[in-house]
Amino acid sequence: MIKKVEVIEMFKKAIEKNRLSHLYLLSGLKGSGKKTLAYNVASVLLNTDFLELKEKGHINLFYLEPSGYTLKTSQIEELQQEFYKTSLVDGYRVYIIDEIEKLTLKAANQLLKFLEEPVSKVSVGFLLTQNKEKVIDTILSRSQVINLAAPLEKDLKEKLLKVGVSLEMAELFPYLDKNIDNLLKMKDNPGFQTLIACFNDYLKALINEENMWLFAQDNLLEIKY
């Protein structure tokens, strides 16, 4: 597993030396920064600002994510049609496909056809997945696989503390999820606030050597169901 910062540097060197692969598979848990990394590299390739690219897109960038529960054949066909057209802007053309493991079998075959008949020497693809094991072998074999490490709990804790999350939540939340955006949503969730309060009361009861059966009956009913 490698850190996102190290991968960004690796891509910068590959771009400088003109050694980019035509297809990358970025694998990692939620919160490992797969999509951010893909957009970071795309912003360098397309010579545009990262934030502007994420907010407004780019004529030479094509992004796909599952429609419902799967990536469908029609979506891959749309990607093909877009890349068969002559771009109005010179330079690299980039496509990002999120949750690539959710391709239907027919869509996977359509994507393979697209990969086998590259329409441009300056096209670069990024396939993103949380479950590399579920990506079909024929797509894996055509990709340069990069396994991204999930952020460390202590780093997430520091980020949460910096934005005003309580110490108790900042210590607990990184063990529930590795995505900082999800964690920030948790802090305002009444359910999690109740859970923290119950946990604190439970610890106090343990320290005071109270009857834990009675304590659970009287104080933990809110989280029992």
Side-chain angles (χ1 to χ4, degrees):
M1 297 282 185
I2 51 180
K3 294 181 180 178
K4 189 174 70 175
V5 198
E6 296 171 346
V7 181
I8 290 172
E9 286 305 310
M10 180 194 79
F11 270 112
K12 284 181 179 177
K13 288 178 183 176
I15 293 168
E16 288 172 5
K17 296 179 180 179
N18 198 26
R19 291 182 180 173
L20 271 181
S21 171
H22 74 284
L23 185 66
Y24 293 91
L25 186 135
L26 306 182
S27 172
L29 296 174
K30 187 177 288 187
S32 56
K34 302 181 293 295
K35 191 184 295 186
T36 302
L37 173 60
Y39 271 94
N40 261 308
V41 179
S43 69
V44 176
L45 292 173
L46 302 174
N47 194 27
T48 188
D49 179 71
F50 167 75
L51 291 176
E52 186 177 338
L53 183 66
K54 283 207 76 175
E55 290 173 8
K56 299 179 181 178
H58 190 281
I59 195 170
N60 277 6
L61 173 68
F62 196 91
Y63 175 78
L64 273 182
E65 61 185 352
S67 173
Y69 295 104
T70 59
L71 281 159
K72 299 176 172 55
T73 310
S74 58
Q75 293 177 277
I76 304 303
E77 288 173 343
E78 187 181 351
L79 167 67
Q80 284 180 297
Q81 289 166 10
E82 190 64 32
F83 273 68
Y84 285 147
K85 298 175 187 173
T86 302
S87 176
L88 299 175
V89 177
D90 290 335
Y92 281 98
R93 303 183 75 182
V94 181
Y95 60 94
I96 300 170
I97 306 180
D98 203 359
E99 297 184 85
I100 192 66
E101 73 278 6
K102 293 186 177 179
L103 280 170
T104 64
L105 182 58
K106 192 174 178 182
N109 289 330
Q110 194 71 29
L111 179 61
L112 285 169
K113 183 180 178 183
F114 172 69
L115 297 177
E116 288 165 359
E117 301 172 0
V119 293
S120 171
K121 292 182 180 179
V122 289
S123 63
V124 180
F126 295 94
L127 312 180
L128 317 182
T129 183
Q130 290 185 63
N131 299 294
K132 186 175 67 176
E133 295 74 19
K134 292 185 178 180
V135 179
I136 64 172
D137 291 340
T138 44
I139 288 179
L140 275 176
S141 64
R142 287 165 171 75
S143 310
Q144 183 169 326
V145 179
I146 297 174
N147 298 304
L148 295 175
L152 298 174
E153 286 82 8
K154 66 180 183 65
D155 294 334
L156 288 169
K157 175 185 171 182
E158 288 174 10
K159 288 181 180 180
L160 291 169
L161 289 173
K162 283 180 182 177
V163 294
V165 174
S166 70
L167 178 61
E168 294 161 330
M169 288 185 174
E171 288 181 336
L172 173 63
F173 283 3
Y175 293 94
L176 302 178
D177 199 306
K178 301 301 180 188
N179 187 313
I180 188 65
D181 293 329
N182 290 344
L183 298 182
L184 291 174
K185 290 175 186 175
M186 282 184 194
K187 76 179 177 67
D188 298 320
N189 185 314
F192 283 104
Q193 292 171 0
T194 300
L195 180 63
I196 294 288
C198 289
F199 182 70
N200 286 336
D201 291 342
Y202 178 75
L203 289 179
K204 289 174 186 175
L206 278 177
I207 293 168
N208 295 330
E209 298 183 347
E210 296 179 23
N211 183 309
M212 298 312 296
W213 188 87
L214 290 175
F215 173 83
Q217 286 296 311
D218 295 339
N219 299 280
L220 301 183
L221 290 178
E222 286 185 84
I223 63 172
K224 186 176 180 181
Y225 303 105

PDB file of all heavy atoms in Angstrom, residues 62-73:
ATOM      1  N   PHE A  62     -14.022  12.838 -18.969  1.00  0.00           N
ATOM      2  CA  PHE A  62     -15.287  12.090 -18.966  1.00  0.00           C
ATOM      3  C   PHE A  62     -15.342  11.278 -17.682  1.00  0.00           C
ATOM      4  O   PHE A  62     -14.457  10.459 -17.408  1.00  0.00           O
ATOM      5  CB  PHE A  62     -15.351  11.176 -20.186  1.00  0.00           C
ATOM      6  CG  PHE A  62     -16.722  10.654 -20.483  1.00  0.00           C
ATOM      7  CD1 PHE A  62     -17.574  11.343 -21.333  1.00  0.00           C
ATOM      8  CD2 PHE A  62     -17.165   9.469 -19.905  1.00  0.00           C
ATOM      9  CE1 PHE A  62     -18.852  10.860 -21.612  1.00  0.00           C
ATOM     10  CE2 PHE A  62     -18.441   8.982 -20.182  1.00  0.00           C
ATOM     11  CZ  PHE A  62     -19.287   9.675 -21.033  1.00  0.00           C
ATOM     12  N   TYR A  63     -16.388  11.490 -16.864  1.00  0.00           N
ATOM     13  CA  TYR A  63     -16.520  10.794 -15.578  1.00  0.00           C
ATOM     14  C   TYR A  63     -17.755   9.893 -15.593  1.00  0.00           C
ATOM     15  O   TYR A  63     -18.838  10.308 -16.021  1.00  0.00           O
ATOM     16  CB  TYR A  63     -16.645  11.809 -14.442  1.00  0.00           C
ATOM     17  CG  TYR A  63     -16.917  11.174 -13.083  1.00  0.00           C
ATOM     18  CD1 TYR A  63     -15.885  10.574 -12.367  1.00  0.00           C
ATOM     19  CD2 TYR A  63     -18.199  11.160 -12.552  1.00  0.00           C
ATOM     20  CE1 TYR A  63     -16.126   9.975 -11.141  1.00  0.00           C
ATOM     21  CE2 TYR A  63     -18.457  10.566 -11.328  1.00  0.00           C
ATOM     22  CZ  TYR A  63     -17.417   9.978 -10.628  1.00  0.00           C
ATOM     23  OH  TYR A  63     -17.669   9.381  -9.416  1.00  0.00           O
ATOM     24  N   LEU A  64     -17.581   8.673 -15.121  1.00  0.00           N
ATOM     25  CA  LEU A  64     -18.685   7.706 -15.055  1.00  0.00           C
ATOM     26  C   LEU A  64     -18.779   7.119 -13.655  1.00  0.00           C
ATOM     27  O   LEU A  64     -17.759   6.821 -13.028  1.00  0.00           O
ATOM     28  CB  LEU A  64     -18.430   6.543 -16.022  1.00  0.00           C
ATOM     29  CG  LEU A  64     -18.884   6.658 -17.477  1.00  0.00           C
ATOM     30  CD1 LEU A  64     -18.550   5.356 -18.193  1.00  0.00           C
ATOM     31  CD2 LEU A  64     -20.362   6.936 -17.570  1.00  0.00           C
ATOM     32  N   GLU A  65     -20.005   6.919 -13.165  1.00  0.00           N
ATOM     33  CA  GLU A  65     -20.246   6.215 -11.919  1.00  0.00           C
ATOM     34  C   GLU A  65     -21.481   5.349 -12.113  1.00  0.00           C
ATOM     35  O   GLU A  65     -22.245   5.547 -13.070  1.00  0.00           O
ATOM     36  CB  GLU A  65     -20.443   7.199 -10.764  1.00  0.00           C
ATOM     37  CG  GLU A  65     -21.625   8.129 -10.926  1.00  0.00           C
ATOM     38  CD  GLU A  65     -21.695   9.150  -9.801  1.00  0.00           C
ATOM     39  OE1 GLU A  65     -20.923   9.043  -8.834  1.00  0.00           O
ATOM     40  OE2 GLU A  65     -22.557  10.054  -9.913  1.00  0.00           O
ATOM     41  N   PRO A  66     -21.705   4.361 -11.241  1.00  0.00           N
ATOM     42  CA  PRO A  66     -22.846   3.464 -11.431  1.00  0.00           C
ATOM     43  C   PRO A  66     -24.173   4.200 -11.538  1.00  0.00           C
ATOM     44  O   PRO A  66     -24.410   5.193 -10.857  1.00  0.00           O
ATOM     45  CB  PRO A  66     -22.808   2.584 -10.175  1.00  0.00           C
ATOM     46  CG  PRO A  66     -21.373   2.586  -9.771  1.00  0.00           C
ATOM     47  CD  PRO A  66     -20.878   3.961 -10.088  1.00  0.00           C
ATOM     48  N   SER A  67     -25.020   3.708 -12.428  1.00  0.00           N
ATOM     49  CA  SER A  67     -26.389   4.201 -12.545  1.00  0.00           C
ATOM     50  C   SER A  67     -27.255   3.201 -11.791  1.00  0.00           C
ATOM     51  O   SER A  67     -27.504   2.098 -12.268  1.00  0.00           O
ATOM     52  CB  SER A  67     -26.802   4.264 -14.023  1.00  0.00           C
ATOM     53  OG  SER A  67     -28.170   4.579 -14.133  1.00  0.00           O
ATOM     54  N   GLY A  68     -27.669   3.582 -10.581  1.00  0.00           N
ATOM     55  CA  GLY A  68     -28.336   2.618  -9.715  1.00  0.00           C
ATOM     56  C   GLY A  68     -27.286   1.738  -9.069  1.00  0.00           C
ATOM     57  O   GLY A  68     -26.336   2.224  -8.469  1.00  0.00           O
ATOM     58  N   TYR A  69     -27.413   0.418  -9.248  1.00  0.00           N
ATOM     59  CA  TYR A  69     -26.485  -0.517  -8.602  1.00  0.00           C
ATOM     60  C   TYR A  69     -25.360  -0.980  -9.517  1.00  0.00           C
ATOM     61  O   TYR A  69     -24.435  -1.656  -9.063  1.00  0.00           O
ATOM     62  CB  TYR A  69     -27.253  -1.745  -8.084  1.00  0.00           C
ATOM     63  CG  TYR A  69     -28.232  -1.424  -6.981  1.00  0.00           C
ATOM     64  CD1 TYR A  69     -29.595  -1.359  -7.244  1.00  0.00           C
ATOM     65  CD2 TYR A  69     -27.790  -1.166  -5.688  1.00  0.00           C
ATOM     66  CE1 TYR A  69     -30.507  -1.056  -6.236  1.00  0.00           C
ATOM     67  CE2 TYR A  69     -28.686  -0.859  -4.679  1.00  0.00           C
ATOM     68  CZ  TYR A  69     -30.042  -0.807  -4.958  1.00  0.00           C
ATOM     69  OH  TYR A  69     -30.928  -0.492  -3.956  1.00  0.00           O
ATOM     70  N   THR A  70     -25.435  -0.643 -10.806  1.00  0.00           N
ATOM     71  CA  THR A  70     -24.439  -1.169 -11.742  1.00  0.00           C
ATOM     72  C   THR A  70     -23.970  -0.106 -12.737  1.00  0.00           C
ATOM     73  O   THR A  70     -24.601   0.928 -12.925  1.00  0.00           O
ATOM     74  CB  THR A  70     -25.028  -2.346 -12.559  1.00  0.00           C
ATOM     75  OG1 THR A  70     -26.185  -1.877 -13.275  1.00  0.00           O
ATOM     76  CG2 THR A  70     -25.410  -3.501 -11.662  1.00  0.00           C
ATOM     77  N   LEU A  71     -22.828  -0.405 -13.350  1.00  0.00           N
ATOM     78  CA  LEU A  71     -22.356   0.360 -14.511  1.00  0.00           C
ATOM     79  C   LEU A  71     -22.889  -0.353 -15.742  1.00  0.00           C
ATOM     80  O   LEU A  71     -22.599  -1.538 -15.955  1.00  0.00           O
ATOM     81  CB  LEU A  71     -20.833   0.398 -14.533  1.00  0.00           C
ATOM     82  CG  LEU A  71     -20.167   1.405 -13.589  1.00  0.00           C
ATOM     83  CD1 LEU A  71     -18.723   1.008 -13.331  1.00  0.00           C
ATOM     84  CD2 LEU A  71     -20.232   2.813 -14.152  1.00  0.00           C
ATOM     85  N   LYS A  72     -23.653   0.344 -16.523  1.00  0.00           N
ATOM     86  CA  LYS A  72     -24.394  -0.298 -17.615  1.00  0.00           C
ATOM     87  C   LYS A  72     -23.694  -0.165 -18.971  1.00  0.00           C
ATOM     88  O   LYS A  72     -22.870   0.718 -19.181  1.00  0.00           O
ATOM     89  CB  LYS A  72     -25.802   0.290 -17.683  1.00  0.00           C
ATOM     90  CG  LYS A  72     -26.592   0.037 -16.392  1.00  0.00           C
ATOM     91  CD  LYS A  72     -27.938   0.693 -16.431  1.00  0.00           C
ATOM     92  CE  LYS A  72     -28.790   0.283 -15.226  1.00  0.00           C
ATOM     93  NZ  LYS A  72     -28.150   0.522 -13.940  1.00  0.00           N
ATOM     94  N   THR A  73     -24.086  -1.023 -19.898  1.00  0.00           N
ATOM     95  CA  THR A  73     -23.523  -1.018 -21.249  1.00  0.00           C
ATOM     96  C   THR A  73     -23.713   0.332 -21.923  1.00  0.00           C
ATOM     97  O   THR A  73     -22.802   0.832 -22.598  1.00  0.00           O
ATOM     98  CB  THR A  73     -24.203  -2.107 -22.107  1.00  0.00           C
ATOM     99  OG1 THR A  73     -24.183  -3.337 -21.396  1.00  0.00           O
ATOM    100  CG2 THR A  73     -23.486  -2.282 -23.427  1.00  0.00           C
TER     101      THR A  73
END
